[in-house]
Amino acid sequence: MEEGGVIVDYHGCDLFPQRWFNIVFVLRTDNTQLYTRLESRGYTGKKLQDNVQCEIFQTIYEEAMEAYSEEIVHQLLSNTPEDLEHNLAQIVQWTQQWMKDHN
């Protein structure tokens, strides 16, 4: 991590210190779509309910806002394949700009 250039994919904010990150992306999904996705993955009962409630109450986003500087936390919608493409392009653009600014 000290060398930089690392992308971390994680579902929480309690493990990593702020100094490790220059930007944090929180993926958000419409609750109806999230329910359908999780159900298709075999989630049932409490696990399904907990995940949907977590999205409804913006738990991960709020944890990110508390754990890291507000300026580096960004929400990205992740409802459709087009959203995925847009998010990827946005992350690549940000990464390229960061590399220009810091090299």
Side-chain angles (χ1 to χ4, degrees), residues 6 10 12 16 22 26 31 36 41 50 52 59 65 67 74 79-82 85-87 96-97 101 103:
V6 177
Y10 192 71
F16 305 110
N22 298 101
V26 178
N31 297 325
T36 302
R41 294 178 188 167
D50 287 351
V52 171
T59 304
M65 293 295 283
H74 303 276
N79 292 317
T80 66
E82 293 80 17
E85 293 295 323
H86 179 274
N87 293 343
Q96 290 171 340
Q97 186 62 51
D101 294 345
N103 284 330

Side-chain angles (χ1 to χ4, degrees), residues 2 4 13-14 20 22 27-28 37 57 61 64 66 71 79-80 89 100:
E2 289 180 18
C13 303
D14 53 344
W20 283 12
N22 298 101
L27 300 178
R28 302 296 310 275
R37 282 182 195 170
F57 294 116
Y61 176 67
E66 290 175 11
E71 301 84 39
N79 292 317
T80 66
K100 285 180 187 175

